[in-house]
Each structure stands twice: as structure tokens, then as C-alpha cells.
Amino acid sequence: MLKNFLGLFLITFMICIFILLMQFLWMHVKDLVGKGVEIKVLTEFFFYSVVTVVPLALPLAILLASLMTFGNLGEKFELTAMKAAGVSLFRIMQPLVIAIAFVCVGAFMFSNYVLPVSQVKLWTLIFSLRQKSPELDIPVGEFYDGIGGINIYVGKKNTNTGMLYDVKIYDLSKGFKDATVTVSDSAEVYFTADNKYLLLVLYSGESFENLNQKQQRATKTRERVPYRRENFSRRQMLIDFDTEFNRYDESILRDQHVSKDVSELIQSIDSMDVIAHTRSREQSAEIVSGKYFGRERKKDRQIDTDIPEEAMRNYNVDSVYASLIPSEQRRVLNTALEKAKNMKDAIEYNGLLLDDSQRYIRKHEMELHRKFTLAFACLIFFFIGAPLGAIIRKGGLGAPVVISVVMFVIYYIIDNTGYKMAREDIWPVWAGLWLSSAVLLPIGIFLTYKAATDSALLNPEAWIKLWEKTKQRATPYVEKYIMPYLNRIKIPIRGKRYKH
């Protein structure tokens, strides 16, 4: 059993890794294409990407391998022969259950120790690639916007000499109203020695610079000419264009949830929880001390008064307001409205501060539960795939692949739904992250029970026989109790009454 299972597991695991890797690369293809990245950097990116998709590929590979293993045994009647010899399904599954238990432990250790390191290196690499300038490849007959704030148009290009003809340059780096337009008959492009600047050598052209905004800032008038025109026979333009690959420091992700193991996550959650509670109590005390209810106690007032504290506490607001003259009433209303607006702004600002803390805690709690749910999913998928393979008795890559894809899509939809519910604080974190396990675990138990009792769960003939037997047993009750009642019902149709 181990020999059959492990061989299929390695093959399906590689296939799942390849499929998920392609999906991951498709999401980040814009960060790689046209950047001129070295092979070493690309190899590093692919390696960390493979490590990142391993936790998701492992449950799918176990599901597919267990389906194929028991499907092959059922198709060749080897499973029937073992059961006829007195070996139960649980005894047949026992060595694989032990192997899957070790796989689950290994998956947790991988998620706890290896995955945080690879996640930090991968996302640091992705952030670095996003900031790298693309390779300079100016097309012919269309505008090129690969240089920040500058659009270049080239009418013709000499591929042998690299000379550009009919060049138009629109410099919008200072805004559209301060744009600079340069037109030249020909141009050459060079990089500086440190590859940080682009040198454009323009020949026989002219430039137009909009001075409207500069003039308004200087003279606040529109009397002067709003642009400047310049003719040149040769002109050089130096443009910031760093083509080097500058790697970010990994310390930028040091405090992120993806970079921590279980102990660090628990410590961060506890620390931030204490900070959030302290901040909440301070804000509550600040609101109360700021006379949020409009009632001042004598010991809180900064000035002395002869009014007794009991009178201050029991005075009637409406009576005091009615005793004022109209001008004082308006002044009091405006003051109260201004205080209410200030307190509302303070509460909203404090809420934003608390939301940041709660969001930080939720992300760490989700990452903490994720390390356990992915390992537990391996065990659940085995108890779904193995009994399903014993029931359908189909080996190869046909039916097992279809069933595996359907089950994994269901798992992915449920898991993603729970993840989003937990992320948006609609559900508790533990409920959202364990939702898929709570849904699929009963299915695995049910399928294992049906396979152990030799139930024809997916046999169409068995379902037809069950329907016929149910209909045969239900017919006397329908004729005796339901039909007489239906015969007495009369439904009006177009002004007439008919028996139903």
C-alpha cells in the first residue's frame, strides 16, 4: 500500500506544484516581463514561489493520490480480494493513515519554520522587482511611457546604428500645465556608466515649454507670453532611469504576520492585545474627562464657584435654556454643536487607531490558525479520497482527476469565504479559518463509513432500486391519505371551478 501510494503521491504532488506555480506566476507576470532581470534573480523567484505554493499543493496531491490508489485497487478487484480474505478497509488504510499523519506533522513544521523565511524573501524580491525600471525598448510608430512622467514617440529607427528619427518627447513630470514638448529630426540614446541615468542626444529640433503656471505664481497675471520656444542644433537631456536591480532590505517585513512562526505570532497577538486594551481605556477616560455628557462635577472644574454640587448635578437643562434670551440661546446652541462635532471627530479618530490595532491582531490570528488548518486539511482529504476511490473503483487519471478538481474547488470556495469573513471581522477568526474543515470533515467520515460497509453510494442501479422501493412503499399511503384530500380541492380557473 505504501509503495503504490507514495509513487502516485510524488507524481501528483509535482503536477499540483506546477499548476499552482503557473497560477502564481500569472498573477505576478507584470512584475517580471520587460524588466531585463538576470537568470539568477529569476531562479530565486521561481524557487521561493515553489516553496510558497507547497502548503496548498499538498492537500490536493493527497486527495488525488489516495483516489487513484484505491481506485486502481478497486478496478483490479484487489480490494475485493483483500476484503474476501477478511481484511477490513480500516486495516488496509492503516499504513497510509500513519504515513499521512507524518505528512501532516511535516506540513505543520514546514508552515511554521520554512514558509515564513521563504515568504519574507519572496515578497522582498517582488517589491524589489516592482520598483525596477523596465528595459528601454522604444517602439516605432507609438508612444513609449516606460520612463516615469515622459512619453517618447519615434517615427523610424535604424536598427544597425541605433539612431532614432522623427522624435517627439512630452515631459509631463511637472504636471500637464507645466508640460515641455521637444521635437527633433533625430536622436541617440545612451546610458551613463552607473546605469542610473538615460542620456538623450537630440539633433536639429525645437522645444516648447508651458510657462503659464510659473508666470501665475510669479506675477499673478496673464499679460506675458505663456510659453517659451527654443531652437537647437544639438541638445542633451539627462533623465532618471535606474536600470539596476536594487534589492530591498528584508527587515521591512520583519513585523509582518507572514514572517513569524507560532511562538512569535502568539507573542505579537498578546502584546498588541495589551496595547489595544490600554489605548481603549485611555480613550474612554479621555472622552469622559472631556465632559462628553455636558455635566461637570465640582472637583473637575478649574474655577471656584458657590453653586452646590447637588444643584449642579440635578439642574434641569430645559429650564436653564428657556431662561436665556434668544441671542444667548443661539450662542449656547452653536457652542454645543461645535463641541459635539469636535467630540465626534475625536471618536472617529480614536476608532481608526483602534481599527489598526484590531486589524493587526486579526492578521496574526489568521496566520496562526492557517498553519494548523493546512496541515489538518491533508488528513481530511485523505479520508475523502481513499473511501471515494474504494467506492467508485476507477483508477487512472480520468474520474479521479475530475472528482479531485471538484472537491478541491469546493474546498477552495469554502475556505476563501471563511478567510474573507474573518478578514473583514464579520466572523470570529477561528470560525472563518476552520470553516472548510468543519464542512469537509463530516463528509470524510460519512464516505469512510459507506466504504467500510460496502455501500453502493455512487452506483446508479442502487439509487434506481432505492427509488422504486420508496415509491412502492409510499403509494398506499398516498392513495389512502393524500389523494382524497387533493380530490376535494377546487381551484377557480377563468371563472369556473374544476376538481384538481
Side-chain angles (χ1 to χ4, degrees), residues 251-316:
S251 60
I252 62 174
L253 298 174
R254 182 175 300 170
D255 195 41
Q256 298 298 318
H257 58 282
V258 296
S259 64
K260 300 177 182 179
D261 56 19
V262 171
S263 60
E264 293 174 341
L265 288 171
I266 295 176
Q267 183 179 359
S268 299
I269 292 171
D270 293 340
S271 301
M272 184 54 65
D273 194 47
V274 172
I275 294 174
H277 279 82
T278 304
R279 186 178 298 171
S280 178
R281 288 193 298 268
E282 291 176 353
Q283 292 174 0
S284 301
E286 180 183 354
I287 291 175
V288 174
S289 64
K291 287 74 180 175
Y292 175 75
F293 298 101
R295 305 292 182 92
E296 291 182 333
R297 293 181 299 175
K298 184 175 181 180
K299 63 180 181 180
D300 292 334
R301 286 182 275 118
Q302 302 295 329
I303 59 176
D304 296 331
T305 179
D306 297 332
I307 302 176
E309 183 178 356
E310 185 69 21
M312 286 292 297
R313 186 167 58 250
N314 296 326
Y315 74 93
N316 188 282

Side-chain angles (χ1 to χ4, degrees), residues 5-6 57 108 113 174 225 229 340 359 431 444 467 482:
F5 176 79
L6 292 178
F108 171 75
Y113 296 107
K174 299 179 182 178
V225 179
R229 179 176 178 177
R359 193 178 300 110
W467 169 251
I482 300 179

Side-chain angles (χ1 to χ4, degrees), residues 1 4 69-85 87 92 393:
M1 292 299 298
N4 292 335
T69 300
F70 283 85
N72 290 332
L73 293 176
E75 189 176 20
K76 298 176 181 178
F77 298 100
E78 295 179 6
L79 198 61
T80 304
M82 284 187 281
K83 289 183 178 181
V87 183
I92 299 171
R393 298 180 181 181

Side-chain angles (χ1 to χ4, degrees), residues 288-459:
V288 174
S289 64
K291 287 74 180 175
Y292 175 75
F293 298 101
R295 305 292 182 92
E296 291 182 333
R297 293 181 299 175
K298 184 175 181 180
K299 63 180 181 180
D300 292 334
R301 286 182 275 118
Q302 302 295 329
I303 59 176
D304 296 331
T305 179
D306 297 332
I307 302 176
E309 183 178 356
E310 185 69 21
M312 286 292 297
R313 186 167 58 250
N314 296 326
Y315 74 93
N316 188 282
V317 178
D318 295 333
S319 300
V320 175
Y321 177 76
S323 64
L324 301 176
I325 62 176
S327 60
E328 292 180 344
Q329 289 180 350
R330 288 193 297 270
R331 180 177 60 82
V332 168
L333 289 177
N334 292 331
T335 303
L337 181 62
E338 187 66 25
K339 288 184 177 180
K341 289 180 179 179
N342 294 336
M343 187 56 65
K344 176 176 177 293
D345 295 338
I347 292 174
E348 291 179 350
Y349 176 73
N350 293 337
L352 292 176
L353 295 180
L354 290 177
D355 285 342
D356 292 338
S357 303
Q358 295 299 327
R359 193 178 300 110
Y360 180 91
I361 294 174
R362 279 200 307 274
K363 288 182 178 180
H364 283 68
E365 288 181 345
M366 291 165 61
E367 186 67 22
L368 177 63
H369 286 279
R370 176 71 72 183
K371 295 182 183 301
F372 294 94
T373 55
L374 289 175
F376 191 64
C378 299
L379 189 63
I380 294 178
F381 275 124
F382 173 75
F383 280 103
I384 292 177
L388 265 181
I391 292 172
I392 63 175
R393 298 180 181 181
K394 295 290 184 182
L397 290 174
V401 170
V402 175
I403 296 175
S404 299
V405 170
V406 172
M407 293 300 301
F408 191 77
V409 168
I410 295 174
Y411 163 77
Y412 184 79
I413 292 174
I414 297 174
D415 185 70
N416 201 33
T417 301
Y419 180 85
K420 290 183 177 180
M421 291 293 185
R423 183 186 63 188
E424 301 300 328
D425 201 19
I426 300 175
W427 290 355
V429 173
W430 63 268
L433 270 295
W434 288 95
L435 176 64
S436 57
S437 300
V439 173
L440 295 182
L441 181 60
I443 297 177
I445 296 174
F446 173 76
L447 292 176
T448 304
Y449 170 75
K450 288 296 183 180
T453 56
D454 294 327
S455 175
L457 185 63
L458 300 180
N459 189 358

Side-chain angles (χ1 to χ4, degrees), residues 191-204:
F191 282 101
T192 58
D194 56 0
N195 290 328
K196 293 184 180 296
Y197 298 94
L198 185 68
L199 180 63
L200 290 177
V201 182
L202 308 175
Y203 302 98
S204 301

